[in-house]
Amino acid sequence: MSSNDALGRLSAALRIKTVSQLPGPDADYTAFDEYIAFIGKEFPVFTKICELERVNGHSLLYRWPGKNPKLEPILFMAHYDVVPADDADGWKHPAFSGEQAEGRIWGRGALDIKSQMTAHFEAAQTLVGEGFTPERDIWFAYGFDEEIGGASGAVKSAEHFKKKGIKFAGVLDEGGIVVSGAIKNVKSPVALVGLGEKGHVDFTVTARGAGGHSSMPPATTAIGVLSEYIRRVEKNPMPARLTETVLSSLKAMSVEMGTAVQLATGSPALFGGLLTKILGGTPETNAMVRTTFAATMIQGGTAANVLPATASANINVRLLTGDSSSKVLEHLKKLGEGLAIEVACGPAAEASPISPSSGEFYDKLIGDVKAAFPDALLAPYLVMGGTDSRHFYEVCGNVYRFTPLSVGNDEKNTMHNINESISVDGYLKMIEFFKSFIRKF
Ligand SMILES: [Zn+2]
């Protein structure tokens, strides 16, 4: 593989506008078909060795047959849908240009997460060229609707594996990364290896009022009641809790987080309360220790001089391991006591199980992470967002989330934002990482 060719292929991948499509009559999968054709054309060695199976139209499964069918296969994941992007928002290089400039490749999907997919292909193609055949089957699964929940993609692929009775020794998806400057006081890069992820669910809260003309109003209206309720929600968070995963993260980073955290992580039984209090202090660390609430949408009122008959709000909730959506519903209902409020729970993605921080797959992964990023602190991690991999626990107990890429915090924040881009060096290193890791199987 010439590295220039590899960069060109990633650029080309970023030019195809595979923006997630809500299922329905308006869904347009032209770009997705174009992307699949692009894979076949640009990665002929990969697609020759790995047979493609399409699940539910656009979810892609590739199997690289290993020498020993008795060994449990492993699975690499990513997704090729992206969130929308608009050049008018101020991109330095157009959002779907794949431009190579300033030592970077620019475009939506550069970090989230077409790069991981094409890096798999590059790594596998190079290995094939070197005469490598894996011991066990290696599967690759790519969703096409991760950014909108994965119901048509990852869910169907996981069901497909389950139906076929295929179980995996390990799964590696996106979700963790090597990041610098994201956590207060921690100067070293931190390799976040995701063992699990928070869940998410939306609650609709509705306040009802009498309605009528606004010239002789009651003391409060539906909007007033709703506002009071939302303030209650903000002032009464779910209790903070130190989960085992978060404690392991902290232990890894505590050397640089100051003496208080260092002491406390050494004796969590004694200082757990203090720790959760410190962590509750910033939004980033607060999200690690509790289920969070954010009022994200509000609706109510029809005219300036009409009392609103209803007012409603959406509360977006991120569920910490151990907090179920029904437990949160109880909490939210209780906060509404004495107010004319109804709380309804939407469809929930509960917090995922937690994969073990031990075992063959994990140890091999960690070995390679340490070798590739020797300066990084290694932190097992609870992913704050959601990934496709949460759907795979029924076919694998060892599901991990890690992208072998080192980024600064500002760089990381270009995901789902303007100026998403990946450094050329980082991308080439990612390919090397997958090469080395695949070789272990
Ligand atoms: Zn993603």
Side-chain angles (χ1 to χ4, degrees):
M1 166 196 87
S2 129
S3 50
N4 273 338
D5 292 348
L7 303 180
R9 284 188 284 265
L10 175 56
S11 288
L14 301 184
R15 283 196 285 270
I16 306 172
K17 293 186 183 176
T18 47
V19 175
S20 326
Q21 301 288 307
L22 283 170
D26 293 337
D28 179 358
Y29 292 108
T30 313
F32 292 75
D33 290 324
E34 191 189 326
Y35 193 85
I36 295 166
F38 154 82
I39 298 169
K41 189 167 155 267
E42 294 297 329
F43 298 95
V45 179
F46 179 82
T47 43
K48 192 173 168 223
I49 296 256
C50 305
E51 201 184 318
L52 168 65
E53 214 174 326
R54 291 170 70 155
V55 175
N56 198 22
H58 295 87
S59 205
L60 312 180
L61 305 181
Y62 295 91
R63 173 177 156 259
W64 187 358
K67 291 180 202 161
N68 186 350
K70 285 198 186 114
L71 291 174
E72 253 188 335
I74 58 165
L75 173 65
F76 291 96
M77 295 178 62
H79 60 88
Y80 65 107
D81 62 315
V82 296
V83 295
D86 189 347
D87 289 334
D89 292 338
W91 284 71
K92 273 174 89 177
H93 303 273
F96 291 97
S97 65
E99 236 169 72
Q100 294 179 35
E102 306 168 50
R104 311 181 66 77
I105 303 179
W106 299 75
R108 178 63 83 226
L111 291 178
D112 187 7
I113 183 97
K114 282 178 175 167
S115 50
Q116 180 146 317
M117 184 175 189
T118 51
H120 292 156
F121 299 159
E122 299 289 354
Q125 291 211 142
T126 316
L127 287 169
V128 171
E130 292 172 7
F132 172 81
T133 308
E135 286 302 315
R136 61 183 79 218
D137 283 5
I138 295 181
W139 285 82
F140 301 87
Y142 303 109
F144 66 103
D145 64 342
E146 192 273 349
E147 298 294 357
I148 51 173
S152 306
V155 168
K156 301 287 182 213
S157 291
E159 278 170 9
H160 176 84
F161 285 127
K162 205 180 152 196
K163 240 185 265 161
K164 285 187 128 186
I166 298 172
K167 293 212 161 198
F168 297 97
V171 170
L172 186 61
D173 193 12
E174 62 166 345
I177 201 163
V178 184
V179 64
S180 308
I183 309 238
K184 211 174 140 192
N185 295 335
V186 180
K187 295 232 161 56
S188 298
V190 184
L192 300 166
V193 177
L195 306 183
E197 55 197 70
K198 288 181 91 171
H200 55 92
V201 57
D202 288 292
F203 287 86
T204 308
V205 184
T206 309
R208 292 190 198 282
H213 202 278
S214 62
S215 54
M216 288 184 288
T220 184
T221 70
I223 291 175
V225 173
L226 183 67
S227 311
E228 186 179 340
Y229 177 76
I230 290 173
R231 282 305 286 153
R232 283 190 192 178
V233 171
E234 290 176 344
K235 282 186 175 157
N236 295 279
M238 298 282 288
R241 197 154 34 78
L242 210 49
T243 65
E244 234 175 277
T245 315
V246 169
L247 185 60
S248 328
S249 296
L250 289 174
K251 275 188 181 154
M253 295 183 282
S254 63
V255 268
E256 298 185 13
M257 288 180 91
T259 340
V261 176
Q262 213 173 330
L263 278 174
T265 50
S267 316
L270 271 180
F271 297 112
L274 173 68
L275 253 187
T276 45
K277 205 168 167 198
I278 298 173
L279 296 170
T282 71
E284 293 80 13
T285 47
N286 182 51
M288 293 165 74
V289 292
R290 58 163 53 94
T291 290
T292 56
F293 302 136
T296 51
M297 294 191 291
I298 190 157
Q299 239 176 353
T302 52
N305 60 351
V306 175
L307 295 169
T310 65
S312 65
N314 184 80
I315 299 180
N316 183 255
V317 176
R318 302 303 172 117
L319 299 159
L320 182 67
T321 317
D323 285 346
S324 63
S325 54
S326 53
K327 191 167 157 188
V328 173
L329 177 62
E330 254 172 63
H331 176 91
L332 289 177
K333 276 188 168 166
K334 203 155 180 239
L335 290 179
E337 272 170 19
L339 294 175
I341 280 281
E342 287 157 30
V343 184
C345 181
E350 304 291 346
S352 83
I354 300 295
S355 301
S357 44
S358 60
E360 194 192 342
F361 188 84
Y362 180 81
D363 291 344
K364 283 179 176 168
L365 175 64
I366 295 309
D368 271 10
V369 174
K370 283 184 177 160
F373 305 98
D375 301 336
L377 304 171
L378 191 121
Y381 170 62
L382 180 69
V383 178
M384 300 291 131
T387 73
D388 269 348
S389 67
R390 73 173 180 279
H391 304 298
F392 283 74
Y393 277 94
E394 283 199 59
V395 291
C396 183
N398 306 309
V399 177
Y400 302 99
R401 300 150 181 87
F402 180 71
T403 294
L405 178 70
S406 183
V407 292
N409 198 39
D410 291 347
E411 224 177 325
K412 183 174 144 274
N413 290 338
T414 65
M415 282 189 206
H416 292 207
N417 205 339
I418 59 167
N419 296 328
E420 184 176 347
S421 60
I422 187 170
S423 81
V424 165
D425 293 347
Y427 180 57
L428 296 176
K429 192 169 175 175
M430 194 195 291
I431 297 170
E432 287 306 313
F433 182 95
F434 285 120
K435 257 183 75 182
S436 160
F437 190 53
I438 291 172
R439 264 195 184 283
K440 298 201 157 53
F441 299 93

